[in-house]
Amino acid sequence: MNFLPSARSLPRKTVLALTLTALLSGCQMIPTDTGSFMPSSNPVTVDTVTRGNRLARLARQQHPRILQTYGGEYSDPKLERMVAKVVGSLTLDEQNTGAAYRITILNSPNVNAFALPGGYLYVTRGLLALANDSAELAAVLAHEMAHVTANHGIERQKLEAEEKFASKVVNEVVGGRDQAAQAALVRGKLRLAQFSRNQELEADRIGIRTTSHAGYDAFAAARFLQAMDAYQGFRSVSGATDASLDFLASHPNAPRRIELAQRHARELQQPDAAGKRDRESFLAGIDGMIYGDSPEEGFVRGRDFLHPGLGVAFRVPQRFVIDNSAKAVTAVGPDDIAVRFDGATVPQGTSLSDYLTSGWVAGLEPETIRTLTINGYPAAKGRASADGWQFDVTVIRSGGQVYRLLTAAPATSGDLERVADSVSQSFRVLDQTERAALKPLRIRVVTVQPGETLGSLAAQMRGVDRKVELFRLLNALSPGATPSAGTRVKIVTDQ
């Protein structure tokens, strides 16, 4: 969660994105007469290559919105060089001749990558943490680049416009009850869904070919799809991160797709062929990268949420899973009970009781409002109900900020008050020692020592739950597999 005592979000550290430019048509000769070599007066950049391009101009306009959605840019020169090396290899493919790419590493734990017309490439640090070698990263980026080169976005926009127009005709002109018209609409939606699936499969095919032509392991795409499948299963249990921002939200995944990726790879390369994976270079690049929440968002440590910047913390009950985003912290528990935590700016002269009745709580029951003190801080709480749900709304004032805890439960639940009181009574202000001790989790690459086991390696991880399962996931270890001595593996720790 990310907010200040003002109404605006806590500004994240803004850093320069890495700009990789490539304009390659065949072999490039490097001049040996350095005395006559002069810098170009019109260097090859994203801006110069795409000057006058309407789609590139639209992509530039979207860039700030993408940064806002995905936590801004993540700055790490070592990591940026590694990603630039991978993208540079992909631009050697003849289909990318004349392309210039601006690569932005997004400061987000979500697992995603995408591209926009005009050479804008994005990859999250969450995806980099899940990948295990340069070939897998290349496969993902080549897939996204293929969407742009194949004009998938433009084609989809046209088809969506047609379906939107057809829906308007059926609902406003023909009449919503006309069964034949409704059937046509259903067929249109199915056509759009099939079109999207076909686009993904085409991007897979183009991306795998591009990856192979760049010298990478052609089977990397299938491996990463399998890793994504495992990640989806892990996330569905852990509840970590906003699923709507993930790769799988827009990229359907299924065993059939993995099978097709393996078939495309076999057409280009034998399974035992020596396509490069460049694992050591990749691991060196991600070593030390922040994992999970950034300091600006606060930290989730098991059932605790702690924000060093704001200096506050609270705990959720057993079996609740916390999801931290830029706008709010949410936690979901058994029997459809959920908690939301955020903050608001309230003038010091406004009482907390008056704030509760100021109109921001729908279905508020004014007679339930009461004032209290929570761990020495003034607070107020009340009940609300709407659409089969009941709510406990608790507000706590600390300094110039008012923090809000909203607990929701089905109208038939008898656990609302118990859960709401447990969370609100756990609210506390961190002292300076606690704030200073809080450090972000990072990916650390370690060498497996003789005698170390999967269990002992997983035990080195800190700040995460389900350590053995997460260790297997991050290192793409199949059930029963164990890392051998001398290999390099990823762990998560705040050290």
Side-chain angles (χ1 to χ4, degrees):
M1 185 192 64
N2 187 347
F3 56 81
L4 278 173
S6 69
R8 293 174 293 182
S9 295
L10 180 70
R12 297 181 179 87
K13 180 182 178 182
T14 303
V15 296
L16 295 176
L18 169 68
T19 300
L20 171 68
T21 59
L23 187 59
L24 304 173
S25 54
C27 295
Q28 300 276 318
M29 295 300 293
I30 301 175
T32 55
D33 182 5
T34 56
S36 61
F37 180 76
M38 296 292 292
S40 171
S41 60
N42 188 28
V44 179
T45 67
V46 171
D47 292 334
T48 59
V49 172
T50 61
R51 187 176 295 152
N53 185 312
R54 182 181 64 85
L55 293 176
R57 185 168 63 252
L58 292 174
R60 282 195 295 272
Q61 293 171 356
Q62 291 297 318
H63 181 70
R65 299 177 186 175
I66 291 172
L67 295 183
Q68 184 178 24
T69 300
Y70 284 89
E73 302 171 14
Y74 182 74
S75 179
D76 180 341
K78 174 170 62 72
L79 182 64
E80 292 166 355
R81 286 193 296 269
M82 183 273 290
V83 176
K85 176 184 174 184
V86 173
V87 178
S89 298
L90 294 175
T91 61
L92 295 174
D93 182 65
E94 66 273 10
Q95 296 298 317
N96 281 318
T97 297
Y101 291 97
R102 173 192 173 107
I103 308 101
T104 302
I105 300 173
L106 297 170
N107 188 21
S108 170
N110 294 92
V111 177
N112 211 342
F114 44 92
L116 296 179
Y120 286 78
L121 273 175
Y122 302 89
V123 60
T124 62
R125 56 176 172 80
L127 186 144
L128 294 172
L130 184 62
N132 268 283
D133 54 46
S134 297
E136 291 183 3
L137 174 59
V140 172
L141 294 177
H143 171 99
E144 297 307 325
M145 293 160 69
H147 277 307
V148 175
T149 57
N151 292 321
H152 284 166
I154 299 171
E155 294 174 7
R156 182 177 174 84
Q157 283 181 353
K158 290 178 181 178
L159 194 57
E160 286 177 339
E162 292 175 9
E163 297 307 321
K164 185 176 181 181
F165 179 73
S167 178
K168 185 174 182 180
V169 168
V170 169
N171 292 325
E172 298 181 10
V173 181
V174 179
R177 296 182 180 179
D178 187 293
Q179 292 185 353
Q182 287 293 340
L185 242 130
V186 171
R187 286 195 298 271
K189 292 184 183 300
L190 290 174
R191 180 168 66 105
L192 182 58
Q194 182 62 48
F195 177 75
S196 298
R197 285 193 292 270
N198 289 341
Q199 281 190 334
E200 293 304 326
L201 294 177
E202 183 183 10
D204 282 347
R205 179 181 57 79
I206 296 172
I208 291 169
R209 186 210 60 201
T210 300
T211 305
S212 177
H213 285 189
Y216 288 110
D217 177 19
F219 291 88
R223 288 203 314 275
F224 194 72
L225 285 170
Q226 291 170 330
M228 291 294 300
D229 195 37
Y231 162 77
Q232 185 180 35
F234 181 85
R235 185 192 60 196
S236 66
V237 175
S238 70
T241 75
D242 181 354
S244 67
L245 300 181
D246 282 332
F247 187 89
L248 291 177
S250 57
H251 295 71
N253 193 18
R256 173 64 173 164
R257 188 179 177 197
I258 296 173
E259 179 187 341
L260 287 173
Q262 291 172 334
R263 182 188 302 175
H264 293 319
R266 282 193 295 269
E267 292 172 356
L268 296 163
Q269 174 187 311
Q270 293 300 313
D272 57 351
K276 67 179 179 182
R277 294 191 178 186
D278 200 14
R279 176 174 166 82
E280 289 304 315
S281 174
F282 178 84
L283 292 178
I286 66 170
D287 189 22
M289 180 182 69
I290 288 180
Y291 176 85
D293 301 320
S294 65
E296 294 86 358
E297 303 288 357
F299 302 131
V300 176
R301 297 290 187 267
R303 293 191 292 126
D304 291 296
F305 174 76
L306 309 101
H307 200 302
L310 298 171
V312 297
F314 67 89
R315 171 173 290 187
V316 298
Q318 292 279 1
R319 299 174 63 196
F320 274 69
V321 177
I322 302 175
D323 181 18
N324 183 23
S325 68
K327 293 182 180 179
V329 181
T330 57
V332 179
D335 304 320
D336 295 327
I337 300 179
V339 178
R340 175 188 168 98
F341 174 77
D342 65 6
T345 300
V346 180
Q348 286 286 351
T350 301
S351 72
L352 293 178
S353 296
D354 288 343
Y355 175 60
L356 281 177
T357 59
S358 62
W360 63 277
V361 181
L364 180 69
E365 301 166 0
E367 68 277 8
T368 65
I369 295 176
R370 62 186 178 91
T371 59
L372 67 159
T373 300
I374 294 178
N375 293 325
Y377 295 92
K381 69 182 304 179
R383 296 285 290 268
S385 59
D387 300 326
W389 290 85
Q390 54 179 327
F391 305 90
D392 179 284
V393 186
T394 300
V395 291
I396 307 167
R397 176 171 270 144
S398 174
Q401 180 78 359
V402 170
Y403 298 98
R404 309 187 297 192
L405 281 164
L406 291 83
T407 306
T412 56
S413 173
D415 291 329
L416 175 66
E417 186 172 354
R418 176 184 62 81
V419 172
D421 286 348
S422 171
V423 177
S424 61
Q425 291 298 324
S426 74
F427 175 88
R428 62 191 180 91
V429 173
L430 301 172
D431 61 35
Q432 289 299 324
T433 301
E434 288 179 297
R435 294 173 72 168
L438 284 172
K439 298 177 182 178
L441 299 179
R442 295 182 183 274
I443 293 286
R444 295 295 183 190
V445 179
V446 299
T447 301
V448 180
Q449 301 300 315
E452 286 189 311
T453 66
L454 184 144
S456 65
L457 289 164
Q460 296 178 31
M461 303 215 294
R462 299 180 54 169
V464 294
D465 294 326
R466 301 161 64 199
K467 295 181 179 181
V468 171
E469 189 175 351
L470 180 59
F471 181 83
R472 284 191 181 278
L473 179 66
L474 291 177
N475 292 286
L477 293 173
S478 58
T482 57
S484 56
T487 59
R488 305 272 281 168
V489 293
K490 295 178 282 184
I491 64 170
V492 176
T493 178
D494 60 359
Q495 299 302 304

